[in-house]
Amino acid sequence: MPLGAAVCLLPAVSTGVALLAGLGVAMTVGNPFTATTRKLTPRLLSLAVVGLGAGMDLGTVLAAGREGLGYTVVGIALCLVLGVGLARLLRVPRVTGLLISVGTAICGGSAIAAVVPVLRPQEHETSVALGTVFLLNAVALFVFPVVGHAVGLTPHQFGLWCAMAIHDTSSVVGAALRYGPEALAVATPVKLARALWILPLTVGLAAWHRRGGGAVAGKVRRPWFIAGFLGAAAVVTVFPALQPVGQGVAAVARQVLVVTLFLLGAGLTRDTLRAVGLRPLAQAVVLWLLMAGLCLGALRLGWVG
């Protein structure tokens, strides 16, 4: 495991290769450091996102974030409605279905982890939701760039598409990296604008849960790394002399992201796969395909971007 993570720091290792390598380790020899991996992964992802900000112009970031704001609000609302409806149709347990819907609507595992103190699911319900979201993230990392090239999406359009239709920030950034720097410059701020909705959604769910007589355990997690990303972009924009340093920091951050994807792959255990039932998986897949298809259609028709 440590050796695999170290190899992923080499510039020649891509995001896709790192994810496959992590999956290979998990499915063959197993990951003896599962608990450590799960704690380290979100921290490394946060650091990588902040570092990527050092290689971007703040004006470009804010423009992309503003552009994606309206799409984000509509997309989140539509995804939650479709997700809850599909869960009822497929008779997925209520909490599991809601966790999958929230993870698809906002930012995958981070959103699921944020609402766990509110919904207080059983451990297997959280594992099922995280497992389905992770599987689809892994698929998206490879499928989205292929589809994007096949239908002729521009880098700008692809950045919007993957930011709106892929669950986790890690896979959004990984897919955008494979498409090119312009796609990355669009995808990252739009995805982070989407991630900002973790806080209001969690607060809203907490209020709804209390009204129903439920208790809330723990504190709401706040995506502070978004402020770090904006701060890093602001520093290199205000002080142009630091831009070469910023580009170096961003290059390191891209490889840290590669390591993060390796750890994500290594964190997928056989127990997690066994816990994912057919109904939750069907809900997650259908919801994801609907949202990805609707977003792609909107881009191709010129309604978005």
Side-chain angles (χ1 to χ4, degrees), residues 56-72 156 160 185-191 193 229-230 233 305:
M56 297 186 184
D57 176 76
L58 182 61
T60 303
V61 167
L62 294 177
R66 283 195 301 271
E67 180 184 10
L69 184 60
Y71 312 143
T72 296
H156 182 89
L160 285 174
V186 173
T188 306
V190 174
K191 179 60 180 177
F229 172 83
L230 293 173

Side-chain angles (χ1 to χ4, degrees), residues 22-265:
L23 285 169
V25 169
M27 295 297 107
T28 53
V29 299
N31 179 4
F33 309 106
T34 302
T36 302
T37 298
R38 288 176 179 168
K39 289 180 182 178
L40 189 60
T41 301
R43 294 174 183 172
L44 284 178
L45 175 59
S46 297
L47 289 172
V49 169
V50 172
L52 287 174
M56 297 186 184
D57 176 76
L58 182 61
T60 303
V61 167
L62 294 177
R66 283 195 301 271
E67 180 184 10
L69 184 60
Y71 312 143
T72 296
V73 175
V74 173
I76 289 174
L78 179 60
C79 187
L80 290 174
V81 170
L82 290 174
V84 171
L86 281 170
R88 290 178 179 175
L89 181 66
L90 296 170
R91 290 181 292 173
V92 176
R94 184 180 67 88
V95 174
T96 302
L98 189 53
L99 287 173
I100 291 172
S101 301
V102 168
T104 306
I106 301 184
C107 58
S110 298
I112 291 171
V115 301
V116 162
V118 174
L119 298 178
R120 303 181 73 181
Q122 297 181 24
E123 185 175 348
H124 77 276
E125 292 177 313
T126 305
S127 296
V128 166
L130 289 172
T132 54
V133 164
F134 178 84
L135 286 172
L136 296 180
N137 270 318
V139 172
L141 183 63
F142 296 99
V143 170
F144 267 58
V146 173
V147 174
H149 285 299
V151 301
L153 292 182
T154 66
H156 182 89
Q157 288 175 322
F158 183 81
L160 285 174
W161 185 41
C162 65
M164 293 188 292
I166 298 179
H167 304 74
D168 274 335
T169 304
S170 56
S171 290
V172 170
V173 176
L177 269 173
R178 297 184 66 195
Y179 215 78
E182 185 181 344
L184 179 65
V186 173
T188 306
V190 174
K191 179 60 180 177
L192 295 183
R194 184 176 161 197
L196 282 172
W197 287 89
I198 290 176
L199 185 56
L201 178 65
T202 307
V203 171
L205 281 174
W208 169 75
H209 197 59
R210 288 192 185 98
R211 286 186 63 184
V216 175
K219 297 180 179 180
V220 175
R221 298 186 182 186
R222 294 171 172 81
W224 295 114
F225 62 90
I226 297 175
F229 172 83
L230 293 173
V235 168
V236 296
T237 302
V238 174
F239 302 102
L242 294 177
Q243 288 179 1
V245 176
Q247 291 298 326
V249 171
V252 172
R254 285 192 287 271
Q255 288 310 125
V256 171
L257 176 71
V258 173
V259 175
T260 303
L261 286 164
F262 171 79
L263 295 179
L264 280 170

Side-chain angles (χ1 to χ4, degrees), residues 71 294 297-305:
Y71 312 143
L294 288 170
L299 282 163
R300 294 294 293 162
L301 291 171
W303 297 348
V304 174

Side-chain angles (χ1 to χ4, degrees), residues 262-275:
F262 171 79
L263 295 179
L264 280 170
L268 183 63
T269 64
R270 292 189 181 92
D271 290 338
T272 301
L273 287 176
R274 281 193 290 265

